[in-house]
Amino acid sequence: MLADDRAELVDLLERWTLAAEQMTAGQPAGTGAVDGDVRLPPDDTGEALDLPASGLSITFGFGPSLFRDGEGTDRFGIADRQPDALRELPHFPGDILDPARSGGDLCIQACADDPQVAVHAVRNLARIGFGTVSVRWSQLGFGRTSTTSTSQSTPRNLFGFKDGTANVKAEEGAALNEHVWVGDDAGAGWLAGGSYLVARRITMTIEVWDRQPLGDQESFVGRTKGTGAPLSGGEEMTEPDFDMPGSNDQPVIPTDAHVRIVHPDAHGGVRMLRRGYNFVDGSNALGGLDAGLFFIAYVRDPGTHFVPVQLAMSKNDALTEYLKVTGSALFAVPPGAGPGEHVGQSLFA
Ligand code: HEM
């Protein structure tokens, strides 16, 4: 937020809501790209003309700094509504965060089956906010890395492994209530029915990974690369057996395997809705891919459902040798806007 004015923030959210409604319906923003006054810049930038809505969804979030800035100033009169769980994430071992790719007062996640439609949405929302907001950082991703419905087949991440096998699925209503949606009892009534979005830009050292033997890659993950079955046997959806003995007095799923370290059994049963994407931002100075996983997870409380899991991963997970976390952010995602409401209306009511 460039502006410090509450009315300006609410006005922005109203204008964003209207534009989001238009664009998710496959329409251009405002009066469109070509139907306005020829003496004025068009309301819409035009690159999504002739394209369908492409399943566009737009999700907005509020960062901790929207409630209190770095000096603790309550810029928008909402500090008393900051949820206890909405604090900057702690520093995790191995994080090499770029401040220019971290944090933010507001967030927009636009997803679509066509990247041109997603980029069009973000570009036009940023444009609508010109003078009130500026873009701090952005990340383009592709090829979702997690299944979110039982109707999808599991996609793969850039390590070549199936990703999303054990994810919370849209069909699991009870699990969504328990692990993803913020409840009425969480102490921030305006956020009930919303969620928290954790974003982590995780660079993967692709070329180093590609030199590891297949057996080692599978040991790091704890699943086979082909079918995604746990190393303890069965098929993709078979529950891992972490007690099954392997060779050398070691369990067959190694003690530092990713799926063991992050498994709900190791964290009091907590699960998260992973909603990440692969990314490739060209090449780095060594000629390797500047690539990785733009990890996004939705949880009902980052303090219980993300921080302990990430901490365990940073300390003990075999995968971390091939990862560098270069960006990080946390946002509270308000519940969906009903007819006639603007996004985040409950926060300002
Ligand atoms: C580039 C980084 C990462 C890679 C390549 C990766 C890869 C994978 C793979 C291949 C699986 C197994 C299939 C599945 O159930 O989806 C998995 C599962 C999982 N990952 Fe990751 N992951 C990464 C980062 C993270 C992070 C940062 C977290 C959270 C702190 C996380 C949490 C989980 C969880 C909760 C599961 C499901 C475990 C289960 O219930 O069996 N992952 N990941």
Side-chain angles (χ1 to χ4, degrees):
M1 281 295 294
L2 298 172
D4 278 349
D5 184 61
R6 180 184 171 112
E8 213 172 314
L9 172 56
V10 172
D11 178 62
L12 172 74
L13 293 170
E14 284 171 358
R15 288 184 292 136
W16 273 358
T17 305
L18 182 61
E21 188 177 357
Q22 292 175 316
M23 292 190 289
T24 50
Q27 295 157 8
T31 57
V34 290
D35 293 329
D37 186 335
V38 290
R39 292 162 301 176
L40 297 172
D43 271 7
D44 184 281
T45 53
E47 72 274 27
L49 282 177
D50 314 323
L51 295 176
S54 306
L56 176 68
S57 68
I58 303 178
T59 305
F60 296 93
F62 303 140
S65 55
L66 191 72
F67 295 80
R68 283 186 188 87
D69 69 11
E71 275 85 53
T73 308
D74 178 7
R75 289 189 292 162
F76 306 105
I78 50 175
D80 60 345
R81 304 197 126 200
Q82 180 170 7
D84 287 343
L86 185 65
R87 308 282 157 193
E88 296 297 344
L89 291 172
H91 175 85
F92 297 103
D95 277 10
I96 321 170
L97 300 185
D98 177 356
R101 277 190 169 129
S102 298
D105 296 334
L106 297 165
C107 113
I108 302 169
Q109 181 183 5
C111 304
D113 299 331
D114 181 342
Q116 177 126 342
V117 171
V119 171
H120 168 264
V122 171
R123 174 179 174 191
N124 280 271
L125 293 170
R127 193 166 176 273
I128 286 168
F130 182 76
T132 303
V133 282
S134 67
V135 178
R136 179 180 170 90
W137 62 289
S138 65
Q139 182 65 54
L140 180 63
F142 63 91
R144 57 162 58 212
T145 57
S146 277
T147 351
T148 50
S149 161
T150 51
S151 64
Q152 300 157 348
S153 57
T154 316
R156 290 180 188 268
N157 58 41
L158 293 181
F159 282 159
F161 277 76
K162 287 195 178 182
D163 202 332
T165 302
N167 205 15
V168 181
K169 304 288 191 321
E171 292 78 7
E172 294 183 79
L176 289 168
N177 286 336
E178 190 181 344
H179 300 292
V180 179
W181 305 126
V182 175
D184 300 331
D185 53 345
W190 67 268
L191 193 56
S195 191
Y196 289 92
L197 184 167
V198 180
R200 309 269 293 164
R201 182 182 187 274
I202 308 178
T203 305
M204 311 195 334
T205 50
I206 302 276
E207 292 73 18
V208 184
W209 175 267
D210 291 347
R211 289 198 294 269
Q212 306 311 311
L214 174 62
D216 289 5
Q217 295 183 2
E218 293 183 329
S219 296
F220 300 151
V221 174
R223 289 181 175 273
T224 65
K225 198 166 185 176
T227 65
L231 294 184
S232 48
E235 294 163 2
E236 186 191 349
M237 296 302 164
T238 308
E239 265 301 304
D241 177 353
F242 294 116
D243 298 326
M244 183 182 282
S247 53
N248 302 331
D249 291 337
Q250 288 289 317
V252 70
I253 299 178
T255 50
D256 60 356
H258 180 58
V259 291
R260 177 192 288 275
I261 300 291
V262 298
H263 194 273
D265 285 359
H267 301 283
V270 300
R271 298 176 68 194
M272 53 182 88
L273 173 67
R274 286 171 287 141
R275 191 73 169 78
Y277 292 84
N278 298 317
F279 72 86
V280 177
D281 289 348
S283 301
N284 59 30
L286 300 171
L289 287 178
D290 179 1
L293 193 157
F294 190 43
F295 177 92
I296 296 174
Y298 286 92
V299 291
R300 71 172 291 151
D301 183 340
T304 52
H305 282 60
F306 176 76
V307 173
V309 185
Q310 176 63 75
L311 205 53
M313 190 177 161
S314 304
K315 284 183 181 160
N316 303 319
D317 197 310
L319 271 191
T320 50
E321 194 167 334
Y322 304 91
L323 308 175
K324 285 188 196 120
V325 181
T326 43
S328 180
L330 174 69
F331 302 96
V333 174
E341 285 178 6
H342 67 76
V343 167
Q345 184 153 321
S346 54
L347 172 58
F348 298 93

